[in-house]
Amino acid sequence: MSNSSLPALPASDRPEVAARLRDALLGAAFTADGLLELLGAPAYTALARSETVPALRATRGDTPLETLVRLFLLQQPVPHARVADVLPVAACLESGWLVSVGTDEVAATVDVRPYGGPEGEDWFIVSDLGCAVGGAGGIGSREEGVVLGVGGASTTLAGITVRTPVSAALDLGTGSGIQALHASRHATRVTATDLNPRALHITALTLALSGAQAADLREGSLFEPVRDDETYELIVSNPPFVISPGARLTYRDGGMGGDDLCRSLVQQAGERLREGGFAQFLANWQHVEGEDWQDRLRSWVPRGCDAWVVQREVQDVTQYAELWLRDAGDHRGDTAAYEALYDAWLDEFEARKVKAVGFGWITLRRTDSDAPSITVEEWPHPVEQPLGDAVREHFDRVDYLRTHDDAALLAAHFRLAPEIIQEQVGLPGAEDPEHVVLRQHRGMRRATKVDTVGAGFAGVCDGTMSAGRILDAIAQLVGEEPVLLRDRTPAQIRLLVEQGFLEPVG
């Protein structure tokens, strides 16, 4: 791959310059909080959409922070003298963070964007100029090897990742290094790979400027750079999952037919995971005529792994093609060329009998169970990020239910999970509700229908009585035979535990 048309990057082997630059940025309050205070919420939010006019209006002064915003976020040349008051200009020019423009101005060679870590860390994400906001935001770049910054997909994956301490983590397709940066907080060793050598260079800059440990950076596609004897407790990937007729843009297009790249990534991950380890991906998958999409996803799961697949969105093929053509800025070019590209996308989908494309999350966990659990579901509703703990707890519940038959469930003690509310739905004035809904206000924010027995059971679960004793008491209240109630209720208890409404005690 050639990146010859892209500008030169700062030196990645000058950690002392990155450290000095970091100190200067922090000293000027060039942080997520500092930007919000300077720009105000409307301009700050507009910047996340790649709209710069409000930020330009808010940085007409000459304070150090305004100087840095114009230099690194808005890509404006700034007088040398103003920058010299804030940054070590000579070192930044010599190492390539800045370049001279005209006779008395300097400009940034990369975008540097403040990024708040989960524990309030002040991090910085480096990306190519004009590409700070990643994903389908319409960056309008046609450069093959361009490296994007933070986008919705990046933050989604970071939010759903399980954050338990691990000795070894792997970030496949690292891009600008966002996932590797998060992993550096809880992994002793981080390996990051990418097909694009420019991305590896930028990842090194992101880690150094954020004050994080260096990663083991390796060039190659998918698991190619990983040795046969290497395994990990955490694997994460926001891969180039876009299903397109070709691979014009390295940062987004898979380069394999249909959804084969995502399938290969998932299928190959199992043998790279250590026992109990997690692999977490974002992915697109095809909805093919005459095929159940859930069965398609189940076929991807490698042997020896539990899996949880959540479909978050589905687009028909026209919506999907338009989204990604706009991402590349093709809609702003020649109309005939745009229509030809659009037609090529639809030809590709028609040839593969694809009627829609799904997007979502795939989580694998290596297990020694003889009966792995595979859950494939659709959940397009709002969730509460971060979800890493909720993902881990899902698999904890899988383990619990796998080792507890109905008799064990009736002997067990449960408590209602925090922040669960009950809603009763029915006609006004009716004696009994048509149905009862339990709703979560945390995590996945699920809602599930229960009957009056299920609602009553959940309402009194406080961990003090076994499930069987609670059902016996309910049977007396409703005048039902206790044995019959015990026989028909475990399935409902199992569902409430599986979805996180009830928590096992002890």
Side-chain angles (χ1 to χ4, degrees):
M1 177 197 319
S2 173
N3 291 321
S4 59
S5 61
L6 292 169
L9 294 170
S12 60
D13 59 351
R14 299 288 303 276
E16 75 285 357
V17 177
R20 291 177 64 191
L21 178 56
R22 173 179 171 79
D23 288 343
L25 297 179
L26 294 177
F30 188 69
T31 63
D33 289 341
L35 287 186
L36 180 59
E37 183 176 350
L38 170 68
L39 302 178
Y44 185 81
T45 306
L47 201 58
R49 300 191 301 267
S50 293
E51 295 290 349
T52 59
V53 172
L56 285 167
R57 292 172 61 86
T59 55
R60 291 167 172 168
D62 58 0
T63 67
L65 181 54
E66 288 170 297
T67 296
L68 294 177
V69 171
R70 283 190 162 256
L71 187 65
F72 286 117
L73 295 189
L74 304 179
Q75 280 92 60
Q76 300 292 309
V78 178
H80 185 288
R82 280 183 56 185
V83 179
D85 290 337
V86 188
L87 301 179
V89 172
C92 289
L93 286 168
E94 189 271 333
S95 60
W97 288 95
L98 302 175
V99 292
S100 296
V101 178
T103 58
D104 64 349
E105 291 186 318
V106 297
T109 58
V110 288
D111 186 293
V112 176
R113 188 151 301 223
Y115 179 75
E119 299 297 329
E121 300 94 340
D122 288 315
W123 289 340
F124 300 96
I125 307 300
V126 180
S127 65
D128 274 312
L129 296 174
C131 300
V133 181
I139 64 166
S141 175
R142 291 183 174 85
E143 295 287 356
E144 179 189 358
V146 71
V147 179
L148 273 62
V150 181
S154 305
T155 55
T156 292
L157 179 58
I160 67 172
T161 300
V162 176
R163 297 296 176 191
T164 53
V166 297
S167 60
L170 173 63
D171 175 16
L172 285 176
T174 187
S176 56
I178 300 161
Q179 309 308 324
L181 180 57
H182 278 275
S184 71
R185 294 181 58 251
H186 60 102
T188 304
R189 177 172 59 88
V190 177
T191 301
T193 73
D194 206 289
L195 181 64
N196 183 0
R198 188 176 182 88
L200 297 176
H201 191 138
I202 284 182
T203 290
L205 299 176
T206 289
L207 294 173
L209 197 58
S210 297
Q213 64 172 324
D216 179 4
L217 303 176
R218 304 182 190 179
E219 183 181 344
S221 177
L222 301 181
F223 288 98
E224 287 177 3
V226 179
R227 297 193 305 271
D228 291 342
D229 61 345
E230 288 182 299
T231 56
Y232 301 86
E233 292 142 293
L234 176 65
I235 299 172
V236 293
S237 183
N238 175 20
F241 53 67
V242 175
I243 301 170
S244 63
R248 287 190 304 153
L249 299 175
T250 303
Y251 72 85
R252 66 162 210 194
D253 296 329
M256 297 184 185
D259 52 15
D260 284 354
L261 182 137
C262 290
R263 175 185 56 79
S264 298
L265 180 62
V266 173
Q267 289 180 337
Q268 294 174 26
E271 62 188 15
R272 301 296 184 180
L273 278 177
R274 297 177 186 174
E275 188 65 35
F278 288 91
Q280 298 186 260
F281 315 104
L282 301 185
N284 273 170
W285 44 81
Q286 298 172 148
H287 285 232
V288 179
E289 185 178 342
E291 177 185 80
D292 187 316
W293 71 270
Q294 293 182 322
D295 289 342
R296 184 181 190 86
L297 271 295
R298 289 189 183 95
S299 73
W300 291 9
V301 178
R303 296 176 111 186
C305 288
D306 294 322
W308 185 20
V309 181
V310 181
Q311 180 167 273
R312 295 288 290 158
E313 184 180 2
V314 181
Q315 292 181 312
D316 67 50
V317 293
T318 60
Q319 292 173 312
Y320 189 80
E322 290 163 15
L323 171 71
W324 293 108
L325 287 169
R326 286 179 176 273
D327 169 75
D330 293 312
H331 62 299
R332 294 193 288 264
D334 178 74
T335 300
Y338 170 78
E339 291 176 351
L341 286 169
Y342 197 155
D343 206 37
W345 283 63
L346 297 186
D347 282 345
E348 177 84 3
F349 287 131
E350 183 177 340
R352 294 179 176 277
K353 298 183 178 180
V354 176
K355 58 184 180 180
V357 178
F359 166 81
W361 320 324
I362 299 176
T363 301
L364 307 177
R365 185 190 60 168
R366 191 76 187 178
T367 180
D368 59 2
S369 172
D370 295 331
S373 166
I374 301 176
T375 300
V376 182
E377 63 175 322
E378 185 165 17
W379 189 254
H381 310 293
V383 298
E384 182 192 46
Q385 286 275 35
L387 271 173
D389 287 345
V391 172
R392 177 182 50 78
E393 290 163 1
H394 166 87
F395 288 95
D396 289 344
R397 295 192 297 269
V398 165
D399 285 339
Y400 179 86
L401 293 172
R402 189 157 44 201
T403 57
H404 286 70
D405 59 16
D406 288 355
L409 285 181
L410 292 173
H413 294 235
F414 301 95
R415 62 169 168 257
L416 191 65
E419 298 192 41
I420 303 293
I421 64 169
Q422 175 179 305
E423 301 172 355
Q424 297 188 171
V425 181
L427 294 173
E431 184 174 343
D432 295 313
E434 292 180 18
H435 57 260
V436 178
V437 174
L438 298 182
R439 188 178 301 277
Q440 300 169 345
H441 277 229
R442 304 297 302 274
M444 291 293 288
R445 293 179 174 169
R446 294 188 185 277
T448 190
K449 290 182 182 180
V450 293
D451 59 21
T452 53
V453 170
F457 177 86
V460 298
C461 278
D462 61 3
T464 60
M465 295 173 60
S466 70
R469 287 187 60 193
I470 292 174
L471 291 178
D472 290 344
I474 292 175
Q476 286 188 336
L477 287 174
V478 301
E480 187 169 341
E481 176 61 41
V483 174
L484 295 178
L485 193 60
R486 279 174 171 253
D487 284 345
R488 70 178 176 85
T489 307
Q492 194 167 186
I493 297 174
R494 189 172 294 275
L495 178 65
L496 292 175
V497 173
E498 178 185 340
Q499 295 190 343
F501 290 92
L502 293 178
E503 299 176 343
V505 175

